[in-house]
Amino acid sequence: KYPTMRLEESIKRNDVEHIQGSLNKLKAMTHQLLKLRKPQDYEISKEVNLLIFLKNTINEFKLSKDFNLSISIKNELDYMPMADIYLLELERAIFNILANSVDAKGKDTVIIVTLRGDEKYCKVEFSDNGGGIPLEIQSKLTKESISFGKENGQGLGVQVFS
């Protein structure tokens, strides 16, 4: 009765451009709202297993991509890392770091997340196969609205940690 049409055929190019424009506006509005948030609004999650948190966050990020992304975790700790953390803020920061790596290298991105430290502190390091950020730019990255290598970068990714 009804003609069948593949979804790809039914979406016109200008529809895709309109959707992309709307997504870009939503992203910009989200960034603006996050900048207005005050530290007292953040909620601390107690006794979070960092290894499980990292695995779950990385898996969520990988699911958001339409290609197979190589991200591995190296745990150099001899204990289970537990911490009180700002869960949503840390997850957002990790997503930003991973997204920056993928933006720089694309489908060929290889990311290694390493946990190291002692009984008191746990350090999470991110490394990738990208070209890196020049030293003269690195010192500026913790300042608001500083971006490197992205045409429309907001400069919020590293600022979260400052």
Side-chain angles (χ1 to χ4, degrees):
K1 280 181 150 181
Y2 300 102
T4 58
M5 184 180 285
R6 292 181 40 202
L7 180 61
E8 298 89 33
E9 295 169 343
S10 67
I11 298 177
K12 296 177 183 170
R13 182 174 184 82
N14 62 347
D15 291 337
V16 172
E17 290 171 358
H18 176 74
I19 292 169
Q20 185 63 47
S22 296
L23 287 173
N24 288 339
K25 286 178 189 175
L26 285 172
K27 183 178 176 182
M29 288 175 13
T30 301
H31 282 298
Q32 290 300 318
L33 287 172
L34 289 171
K35 287 169 68 173
L36 295 174
R37 211 169 162 195
K38 295 174 178 52
Q40 64 265 27
D41 295 337
Y42 298 162
E43 186 175 319
I44 293 179
S45 297
K46 302 282 186 182
E47 291 294 311
V48 174
N49 182 317
L50 289 178
L51 187 58
I52 292 173
F53 170 76
L54 277 171
K55 286 180 180 179
N56 290 341
T57 303
I58 288 168
N59 284 334
E60 286 179 37
F61 182 81
K62 288 170 86 171
L63 287 173
S64 74
K65 299 298 168 195
D66 61 352
F67 56 89
N68 190 19
L69 183 58
S70 174
I71 305 177
S72 59
I73 298 176
K74 286 176 30 179
N75 183 7
E76 296 180 357
L77 302 170
D78 56 0
Y79 63 93
M80 195 56 64
M82 305 296 284
D84 298 344
I85 61 173
Y86 294 108
L87 195 70
L88 294 176
E89 286 69 28
L90 185 56
E91 181 179 63
R92 181 172 59 95
I94 291 170
F95 261 73
N96 280 338
I97 291 167
L98 298 175
N100 287 343
S101 289
V102 172
D103 287 347
K105 196 71 176 168
K107 292 183 179 183
D108 297 327
T109 304
V110 176
I111 301 170
I112 300 170
V113 181
T114 305
L115 279 84
R116 56 175 54 117
D118 54 32
E119 285 80 30
K120 191 170 181 179
Y121 297 101
C122 176
K123 182 177 181 181
V124 181
E125 297 177 350
F126 295 83
S127 60
D128 63 27
N129 60 333
I133 300 172
L135 289 174
E136 62 271 9
I137 301 292
Q138 288 180 22
S139 63
K140 298 176 186 176
L141 286 178
T142 57
K143 294 174 180 52
E144 187 174 339
S145 301
I146 299 296
S147 183
F148 174 75
K150 287 173 134 179
E151 187 176 312
N152 296 316
Q154 300 289 323
L156 297 174
V158 179
Q159 183 189 356
V160 171
F161 294 107
S162 61

